[in-house]
Amino acid sequence: MGADKSSETLTDIFFDESGFTGEALLDPVQPHFVIASSIIKDAAAKKLLEAAFPDYQGPEYKFRNIWSRERSRKRLVEFCGRLGEFNSSLFVWQVDKKFCVLTKMIGYLMEPLAHAAGQNFYQNAYAYKLANYVHFGLTHVGSPELYDAAVNTYYDFARDPTDASLVGMQNRLKLLENSAPEELRFFFRSCWLGATLFHKFYDIEAFKGNLEIYLTSMLTSVGHWSLKASTPLRLFHDQSNAFFAQRELWRAITSPDVPPQFHPVANGPAIPFPLPIKMSEAVDSKTSAAIQLCDIVAGLTTKFLDTTRSPDVETLFRSIHSTGFKDIPMNGIAPGEDFPDGPPGPLTDADPVDLMVAIIESGKGKPL
């Protein structure tokens, strides 16, 4: 990896992920995306991994290899037990992909209507609370099939945004409005109106990429550490990481030239800008036990989030649960029970979307 040649003290953050499927957010095999990050350095991580998996064979510790072998899978209890003393040195960000599509549907189709009406859809996490409310209605007042129909209607358009697919979405939303329970018709009616006025708010040619989750997940994870660390951050990613496909956008967001500000997050503390990132380095995960440890934490978290478990896996998870693995700090985009207590507040200032656009514009062309 190489040592930092300056005398400045830095906080090293290691990252790895599990369940990334690009824009295929409705992949039934991998319904969750997880980024695990850690300040546990290579020496401590190597010691922990070797103690937890003494018979492990292979060039690097990989969760998929551990999970595929019953003997090593049972050693996950030992791993989590040893990990317990480091819980505060970890952070997990998880995305329920289907629910994430619902939040994007609300954000892209309903929010412009509220904005045009002078309402701040994002103030006090209103959009996220509304997504929780709609999710509850779709799954409890409606049905799992109605939930699937709703998110698929937006997802099919977002994967291929054309005038023809836009008309298809408009028609499907009108059908859903007419057939949905009365309590949910406001949602489909608002989405239909947003779809009908789509060209007023968006350039359909530039709409591709709206299903992105990786960059925003990394940003929130880095935000967590920027609030905790007392020194600038040095980030280490697996060199095969999909994150680097968006390197230029990341450079703009993390530029030191971004004006000082706090950027609001729907379900977490506001992120301070400019981000205190000194450098970001791609490394071969085979050479970094710290990244391998994040790979295992991320992979195990995706298994924890999957509720379709066999009896033997359920027994294993009960043992893992008792180790304190559940106490690792975690946040993410997933259904909750925090609902709106009224309409959105008035739009008195720039909303988070406008603020992020300004951040990107101010940082464009600036090297990390």
Side-chain angles (χ1 to χ4, degrees):
M1 248 178 236
D4 181 28
K5 296 180 180 179
S6 74
S7 59
E8 184 177 16
T9 301
L10 302 174
T11 299
D12 292 344
I13 315 291
F14 303 89
F15 297 84
D16 209 352
E17 91 284 339
S18 178
F20 183 65
T21 53
E23 290 194 349
L25 298 186
L26 299 185
D27 180 352
V29 178
Q30 299 187 80
H32 297 94
F33 169 60
V34 171
I35 287 183
S37 51
S38 165
I39 57 173
I40 305 170
K41 295 191 177 183
D42 280 320
K46 184 174 185 291
K47 183 178 179 181
L48 190 156
L49 291 168
E50 289 178 344
F53 306 104
D55 300 322
Y56 186 86
Q57 300 293 319
E60 63 179 312
Y61 294 89
K62 298 291 289 184
F63 177 75
R64 65 172 178 265
N65 295 337
I66 292 169
W67 190 257
S68 66
R69 299 178 177 88
E70 184 178 358
R71 182 175 179 182
S72 57
R73 184 188 298 186
K74 291 179 179 178
R75 297 291 303 178
L76 285 167
V77 179
E78 175 71 16
F79 169 77
C80 292
R82 292 179 177 274
L83 195 65
E85 64 180 287
F86 296 100
N87 277 354
S88 62
S89 299
L90 292 153
F91 177 68
V92 172
W93 177 263
Q94 64 99 355
V95 177
D96 179 319
K97 296 178 191 175
K98 185 188 292 187
F99 180 72
C100 186
V101 174
L102 179 64
T103 66
K104 289 178 180 292
M105 183 179 185
I106 290 172
Y108 283 109
L109 297 184
M110 295 180 69
E111 188 279 335
L113 304 176
H115 192 280
Q119 296 175 318
N120 191 335
F121 212 61
Y122 296 106
Q123 188 177 42
N124 299 322
Y126 178 84
Y128 184 71
K129 294 175 183 178
L130 179 62
N132 287 337
Y133 181 79
V134 171
H135 175 268
F136 183 88
L138 289 171
T139 56
H140 290 75
V141 179
S143 65
E145 291 75 21
L146 183 61
Y147 182 30
D148 288 342
V151 295
N152 273 292
T153 295
Y154 177 76
Y155 178 75
D156 289 345
F157 165 72
R159 290 294 299 273
D160 181 28
T162 64
D163 285 331
S165 62
L166 176 60
V167 171
M169 177 171 66
Q170 294 167 354
N171 292 338
R172 288 167 68 180
L173 287 169
K174 180 55 70 173
L175 288 172
L176 288 168
E177 178 193 348
N178 293 335
S179 60
E182 181 63 34
E183 296 90 336
L184 292 166
R185 290 183 184 176
F186 83 93
F187 164 66
F188 290 111
R189 188 178 306 118
S190 296
C191 287
W192 171 81
L193 183 57
T196 301
L197 298 174
F198 184 87
H199 284 296
K200 179 180 178 181
F201 302 118
Y202 303 107
D203 175 0
I204 198 167
E205 296 296 327
F207 197 68
K208 288 192 175 183
N210 71 93
L211 293 174
E212 189 281 326
I213 62 171
Y214 205 114
L215 189 68
T216 51
S217 296
M218 276 295 299
L219 178 60
T220 311
S221 297
V222 171
H224 168 85
W225 292 111
S226 69
L227 290 169
K228 287 195 65 175
S230 58
T231 64
L233 309 181
R234 179 168 51 182
L235 312 183
F236 294 101
H237 318 259
D238 183 355
Q239 64 185 8
S240 63
N241 219 299
F243 161 71
F244 288 97
Q246 298 173 303
R247 181 186 295 273
E248 294 308 314
L249 183 56
W250 180 252
R251 282 179 173 172
I253 292 173
T254 59
S255 168
D257 296 303
V258 171
Q261 60 191 282
F262 279 86
H263 186 72
V265 175
N267 55 340
I271 299 173
F273 279 84
L275 292 167
I277 300 174
K278 192 69 174 180
M279 61 173 288
S280 183
E281 184 175 337
V283 299
D284 184 348
S285 60
K286 292 185 179 66
T287 68
S288 173
I291 289 178
Q292 294 169 36
L293 185 146
C294 288
D295 171 88
I296 297 173
V297 172
L300 184 56
T301 302
T302 60
K303 294 296 183 182
F304 249 108
L305 294 171
D306 185 359
T307 57
T308 58
R309 305 171 185 164
S310 62
D312 60 321
V313 170
E314 185 63 43
T315 299
L316 174 66
F317 279 177
R318 280 199 296 270
S319 298
I320 291 174
H321 201 265
S322 67
T323 66
F325 182 80
K326 67 182 188 305
D327 298 325
I328 294 175
M330 179 184 292
N331 202 350
I333 304 299
E337 298 179 355
D338 194 7
F339 303 140
D341 55 7
L347 185 64
T348 58
D349 206 347
D351 64 30
V353 175
D354 295 329
L355 291 172
M356 182 52 68
V357 170
I359 287 172
I360 293 170
E361 289 301 317
S362 67
K364 274 185 176 177
K366 307 296 185 181
L368 183 65

